[in-house]
């Protein structure tokens, strides 16, 4: 098969080579600086080289055109465009404060001998940068019409180097100049000056390496909001929309109120377009009417498709569907429902699925719903009811599990969402292919009550301070959760569980005009479970704490970084387990009552095809009980991977390598490959 393809590939190469015309092609592009230094490269030469190339109109050379000649069209040399770029580069330098910078010419260095169809030239530009011009004087005109606190704020922007790049002695750049003028406009607009005009004038003295700037301010009248009108509503009730409008007639004009209104209306998830438009047509008017114009989105959405799962000891195929309604009853109630139904096969041993161990076909059902009633007893309180029914097929067992969870959620605090709820759940295991006695007799205190009833209160506080939950580049996120099971609530279990984590994100978005698209992300979290009766195994299997997998410590498989029950132990004459079978499938992850984990990532964007590269260091461990905590047992892993951004989150492929060789996990692979959707955190 391979041999038959070789002539075809050769023919394609030949046709590709013959299809390209001959001419002068561009190889590498670079710049040299006649005065022996690079004044703009305050963070190294590479950012300035990249910025200069971005300022050019001539396209850059393609190295792959010379690595695979004929298949990739080279970049053809255009001397007229290069001549025009010489002028563009001088303008670019002037915008960066180098007003006497001069472009000295292009040098074309031939690569390769004569006779080649496409002659390759490396293009080198010579530049004399000179000295940058610095701000010498700043004059403000019209600020005397403002109050003293407002004059002080504007004065800080025009004279304090720690607050603005427009200050005496700083290198003048047009970007910083425009940013400062825009900042003054925003300050005035936020202080009720809706019609404020801010204009600037720049006087350049290249011989003195000096720049004098003048800011002229015309604040206009102090304004208040006028009437608010809402346009575009069809099925969404206007009274509920008015509750989300932060613009109050009679109050001082504020850009923050306009932006808050837009954000709140978008957060309802029922509008595709939201425009909050102040009427600024009359500059003499002190009352500013506001028009809110919306376009309703589709409230209802139905998705359906197949689902296939193959794991050791089980396999299933099913159809799944999801239904969503964001405006149930035309009251902005939210309904989400999902169902997965099909059939699966289960083996009568946990380590294989073959004709010899086949135990038959079993139905599977997993259905759930969520109904949220916002603005209950006020604008900030919501009631959320969730229910679920599962007739599931898992590795080693089948189960039937209905549950119901009502919850109150408060959203009246900016970025903070506390919630209080209750969960009742019934679980019964069916057709067990593992020996419950093996699990119950282990030192891990894994309870095997079957069936059981779980009754518990749940409280959670979440702070959302990220700029984008799907593709975060800056901000903070933290959550803390507490659950109390049993006691006066009844049920078969009594325990207290506390979990929490904090995440931080910091992006580097600009280095001397160059955007490296680098984001640093970190996470630290953990959890602990305390049984009311320390002598009892009082935590059900599904409620224990687990680690390992694509969203936690990535050098390990899902739920594998912690205690396990050995299903086929090697025991001595006294019946004490010595070792576990070397087959990993005979280790059943059992979770624990204490966990601790941390993650650190560096994400680099701007790669071809929109890809993002990430490198990470993860650490963590689960202990069967808090008294066995030992920081020396923390397990580390390192790795990296690629991510492709999508509207619903990045598609992520990563590989994690575990560090060290702990005897307890000797059967585990030294690495794990993960393919998933969404960031790890």
């Amino acid at each position: 098969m391979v041999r038959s393809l070789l002539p075809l590939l050769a023919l394609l190469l030949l046709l590709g080579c013959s299809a390209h015309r001959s001419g002068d092609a561009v190889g590498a592009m670079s710049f040299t600086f006649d005065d022996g230094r690079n004044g703009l490269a305050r963070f190294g030469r590479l950012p300035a080289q990249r910025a200069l190339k971005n300022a050019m109109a001539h396209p850059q050379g393609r190295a792959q055109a010379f690595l695979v000649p004929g298949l990739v069209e080279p970049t053809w040399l255009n001397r007229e465009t290069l001549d025009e770029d010489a002028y563009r580069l001088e303008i670019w330098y002037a915008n960066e404060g180098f007003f006497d910078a001069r472009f000295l010419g292009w040098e074309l260095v031939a690569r390769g001998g004569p006779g080649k169809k496409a002659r390759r030239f490396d293009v080198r530009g010579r530049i004399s940068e000179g000295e940058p011009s610095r701000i010498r004087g700043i004059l403000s005109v019209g600020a005397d019409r403002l109050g003293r606190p407002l004059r002080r704020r504007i004065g800080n922007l025009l004279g304090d180097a720690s607050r603005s790049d427009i200050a005496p002695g700083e290198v003048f750049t047009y970007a910083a100049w425009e940013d400062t003028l825009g900042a003054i406009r925003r300050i005035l607009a936020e202080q009720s000056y809706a019609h404020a005009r801010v204009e600037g004038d720049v006087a350049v003295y290249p011989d003195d390496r000096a720049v004098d700037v003048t800011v002229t301010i015309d604040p206009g009248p102090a304004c208040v909001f006028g009437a608010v009108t809402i346009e575009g509503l069809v099925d969404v009730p206007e009274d509920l929309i008015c509750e989300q409008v932060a613009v109050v007639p009679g109050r001082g004009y504020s850009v923050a109120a306009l932006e808050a209104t837009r954000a709140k209306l978008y957060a309802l998830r029922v509008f595709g377009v939201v425009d909050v438009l102040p009427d600024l047509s009359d500059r003499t008017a002190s009352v500013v009417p506001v028009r809110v114009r919306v376009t309703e989105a589709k409230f209802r959405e139905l998705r359906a498709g197949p689902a296939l799962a193959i794991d050791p000891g089980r396999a299933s195929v099913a159809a799944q569907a999801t239904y969503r309604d964001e405006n149930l009853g035309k009251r902005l109630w939210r309904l989400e429902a999902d169902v997965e139904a099909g059939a699966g096969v289960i083996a009568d041993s946990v380590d294989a699925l073959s004709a010899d161990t086949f135990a038959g076909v079993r139905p599977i059902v997993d259905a759930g719903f969520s109904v949220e009633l916002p603005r209950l007893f006020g604008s900030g309180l919501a009631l959320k009811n969730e229910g679920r029914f599962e007739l599931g097929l898992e590795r080693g067992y089948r189960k039937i599990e209905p549950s119901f969870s009502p919850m109150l959620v408060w959203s009246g605090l900016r970025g903070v969402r506390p919630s209080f709820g209750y969960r009742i759940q019934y679980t019964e295991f069916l057709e067990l292919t593992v020996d419950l006695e093996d699990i119950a007799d282990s030192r891990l205190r894994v309870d095997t009550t079957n069936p059981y009833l779980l009754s518990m209160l749940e409280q959670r506080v979440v702070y959302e301070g990220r700029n984008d939950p799907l593709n975060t580049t800056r901000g903070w996120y933290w959550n803390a959760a507490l659950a109390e099971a049993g006691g006066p609530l009844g049920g078969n279990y009594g325990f207290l569980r506390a979990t929490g984590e904090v995440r931080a994100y910091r992006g580097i978005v600009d280095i001397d005009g160059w955007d490296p698209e680098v984001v640093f992300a970190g996470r630290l979290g953990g959890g602990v479970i305390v049984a009311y009766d320390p002598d009892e195994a009082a935590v059900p299997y599904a409620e224990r704490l687990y680690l390992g997998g694509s969203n936690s410590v990535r050098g390990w498989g899902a739920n594998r970084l912690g205690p396990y029950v050995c299903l086929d132990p090697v025991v001595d004459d006294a019946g004490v387990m010595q070792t576990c079978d070397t087959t990993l499938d005979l280790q059943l992850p059992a979770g624990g009552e204490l966990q601790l984990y941390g993650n650190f990532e560096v994400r680099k964007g701007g790669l071809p095809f929109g890809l993002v590269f990430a490198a990470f260091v993860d650490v963590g461990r689960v202990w069967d009980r808090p008294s066995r905590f030992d920081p020396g047992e923390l397990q580390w892993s390192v790795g990296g991977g690629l991510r492709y951004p999508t509207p619903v989150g990045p598609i992520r492929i990563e590989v994690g390598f575990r560090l060290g060789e702990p005897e307890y996990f000797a059967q585990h692979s030294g690495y794990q490959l993960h393919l998933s959707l969404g960031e790890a955190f």
Side-chain angles (χ1 to χ4, degrees):
M1 179 66 178
V2 175
R3 291 182 178 178
S4 63
L5 291 176
L6 290 177
L8 178 60
L9 292 175
L11 179 61
L12 290 175
L13 282 171
L14 181 61
L15 291 175
C17 292
S18 63
H20 290 166
R21 63 181 175 84
S22 61
D24 297 338
V26 176
M29 273 191 174
S30 61
F31 296 90
T32 60
F33 304 92
D34 225 40
D35 41 16
R37 64 175 183 80
N38 183 358
L40 285 178
R42 293 186 288 270
F43 297 92
R45 183 176 294 270
L46 178 60
Q49 292 274 353
R50 186 188 297 269
L52 290 170
K53 293 176 183 178
N54 291 339
M56 296 174 56
H58 198 293
Q60 305 300 305
R62 299 174 182 163
Q64 59 268 36
F66 303 99
L67 295 175
V68 191
L71 292 182
V72 180
E73 184 81 9
T75 298
W76 301 109
L77 185 65
N78 188 321
R79 289 173 171 79
E80 292 183 1
T81 304
L82 284 180
D83 291 340
E84 295 171 357
D85 279 336
Y87 174 74
R88 292 188 182 94
L89 291 171
E90 290 188 355
I91 296 298
W92 183 86
Y93 264 102
N95 288 335
E96 295 296 324
F98 289 74
F99 293 99
D100 56 354
R102 295 295 177 262
F103 187 82
L104 304 179
W106 297 105
E107 180 184 5
L108 304 180
V109 181
R111 298 280 296 273
K116 288 185 174 292
K117 197 167 187 179
R119 294 176 299 175
R120 179 182 178 185
F121 289 91
D122 287 348
V123 180
R124 301 172 184 171
R126 291 177 52 225
I127 298 173
S128 174
E129 291 182 333
E131 294 291 333
S133 294
R134 299 182 179 275
I135 298 173
R136 180 175 59 187
I138 300 175
L139 178 63
S140 176
V141 178
D144 55 333
R145 298 169 57 185
L146 304 173
R148 181 177 298 176
L150 200 51
R151 292 202 308 269
R152 185 182 299 113
R153 289 184 62 185
I154 294 175
N156 288 335
L157 282 178
L158 295 175
D160 189 344
S162 64
R163 301 170 186 260
S164 169
D165 289 333
I166 301 300
E170 295 295 308
V171 175
F172 175 87
T173 68
Y174 273 104
W177 176 236
E178 292 296 330
D179 289 345
T180 301
L181 294 179
I184 296 174
R185 295 186 187 102
R186 288 190 295 272
I187 290 174
L188 293 172
E190 194 57 41
Q191 297 298 318
S192 78
Y193 292 98
H195 304 292
R197 289 183 177 177
V198 180
E199 298 176 349
D201 183 65
V202 179
V204 179
Y205 302 91
D207 294 340
D208 299 331
R209 307 285 190 272
V211 176
D212 293 337
V213 297
T214 302
V215 179
T216 303
I217 299 174
D218 180 8
C223 300
V224 297
F225 284 121
V228 179
T229 57
I230 302 176
E231 303 174 358
L233 296 178
V234 178
D235 292 320
V236 178
E238 184 172 349
D239 60 322
L240 298 181
I241 298 304
C242 291
E243 295 177 359
Q244 306 303 310
V245 175
V247 174
V248 179
R251 288 190 180 177
Y253 180 90
S254 166
V255 175
L258 300 174
E259 294 176 347
T261 299
R262 185 181 296 107
K264 287 185 175 182
L265 293 181
Y266 268 125
L268 295 175
R269 298 185 292 185
V270 294
F271 299 121
V273 177
V274 176
D275 292 321
V276 183
L277 308 171
D279 184 359
L280 303 177
S281 57
D282 185 359
R283 292 198 71 248
T284 63
S286 60
V287 178
V288 180
V290 176
R291 183 161 54 105
V292 179
R293 187 172 60 196
V294 298
T295 301
E296 294 182 355
K298 293 181 179 180
F299 307 132
R300 303 170 186 86
E301 181 182 45
L302 177 63
R303 296 181 179 180
L308 176 66
I310 300 177
D311 296 307
R314 66 180 290 270
S316 64
V317 60
Q320 58 183 6
T322 302
Y323 176 76
R324 178 180 61 86
D325 190 340
E326 298 287 353
N327 191 28
L328 184 66
K330 295 186 178 181
R331 298 301 298 172
L332 293 182
W333 295 349
R334 296 170 183 155
L335 168 67
E336 291 187 14
D338 62 273
V339 61
E340 179 179 321
V345 294
I346 185 173
D348 58 15
S349 67
V350 75
D351 62 333
L353 184 61
S354 64
D356 296 335
T357 61
F358 180 67
V361 178
R362 300 291 185 268
I364 57 173
V365 177
D366 187 4
F369 74 90
S370 171
V371 178
E372 183 176 350
L373 283 62
R375 293 166 301 282
L376 188 69
F377 310 125
S379 60
L381 190 63
L383 174 62
K384 189 174 184 179
N385 295 296
E386 296 180 346
R388 184 146 227 99
F389 174 83
E390 182 179 1
L391 179 60
L393 184 68
E394 299 295 338
R395 177 174 172 262
Y397 62 88
R398 295 176 63 222
K399 69 174 180 178
I400 181 171
E401 188 174 81
S403 64
F404 177 68
S405 304
M407 180 182 298
L408 289 173
V409 182
W410 173 255
S411 57
L413 303 175
R414 183 175 181 180
V416 180
R417 288 175 63 89
S419 62
F420 177 85
Y422 169 75
R423 174 157 62 105
I424 185 167
Q425 174 181 304
Y426 172 84
T427 302
E428 182 176 355
F429 296 103
L430 311 171
E431 294 188 70
L432 286 157
T433 60
V434 297
D435 191 339
L436 290 180
E437 292 185 2
D438 287 343
I439 299 176
D441 292 342
S442 73
R443 68 176 180 83
L444 302 178
R445 302 195 308 171
V446 179
D447 188 86
T448 56
T449 301
N450 186 33
Y452 69 81
L453 181 69
L454 181 66
S455 177
M456 62 192 302
L457 294 174
E458 296 177 301
Q459 307 90 51
R460 181 181 296 271
V461 179
V462 176
Y463 171 72
E464 179 59 85
R466 297 172 291 182
N467 64 324
D468 184 346
L470 292 180
N471 296 287
T472 309
T473 59
R474 67 180 185 276
W476 289 81
Y477 170 90
W478 57 261
N479 74 75
L482 190 65
E484 306 92 5
L489 300 173
N492 296 100
Y493 296 98
F495 62 88
L496 176 70
R497 182 179 62 201
T499 59
E501 69 174 30
V502 59
R503 309 175 189 178
Y505 307 84
R506 179 65 183 269
I508 301 177
V509 297
D510 183 78
I511 298 179
D512 199 30
W514 172 55
D515 183 3
E517 298 186 43
V518 171
V519 177
F520 297 98
R523 175 174 66 172
L524 183 65
V528 63
I529 299 176
V530 178
Y532 297 153
D533 186 347
D535 297 326
E536 294 290 335
V539 183
Y541 178 78
E543 300 299 321
R544 293 165 71 88
L545 302 172
Y546 298 87
L547 277 181
S550 62
N551 293 328
S552 61
V553 184
R554 283 160 281 188
W556 305 79
N559 299 334
R560 291 287 183 176
L561 182 50
Y564 59 83
V565 174
C566 187
L567 302 177
D568 189 16
V570 177
V571 298
D572 59 18
D573 294 338
V576 178
M577 186 182 79
Q578 300 298 310
T579 62
C580 191
D581 188 281
T582 56
T583 302
L584 188 62
D585 291 331
L586 294 180
Q587 297 179 6
L588 181 65
E593 298 176 5
L594 176 67
Q595 69 171 188
L596 184 65
Y597 59 91
N599 311 87
F600 178 76
E601 278 191 357
V602 179
R603 305 167 185 170
K604 172 66 177 76
L607 302 181
F609 309 108
L611 293 173
V612 176
F613 172 76
F616 59 81
V617 178
D618 298 336
V619 62
R621 182 66 185 262
V622 175
W623 292 267
D624 59 337
R625 63 193 71 178
S627 61
R628 297 185 185 274
F629 170 71
D630 182 356
E633 294 181 347
L634 287 168
Q635 300 299 307
W636 295 79
S637 66
V638 298
L642 293 174
R643 296 159 192 190
Y644 180 74
T646 73
V648 294
I651 298 173
R652 181 162 50 99
I653 180 169
E654 294 174 321
V655 60
F657 300 89
R658 64 186 180 97
L659 304 178
E661 295 294 334
E663 183 178 353
Y664 188 74
F665 300 106
Q667 293 88 355
H668 292 240
S669 170
Y671 71 93
Q672 289 290 327
L673 180 66
H674 304 285
L675 177 63
S676 53
L677 178 65
E679 296 286 5
F681 61 93

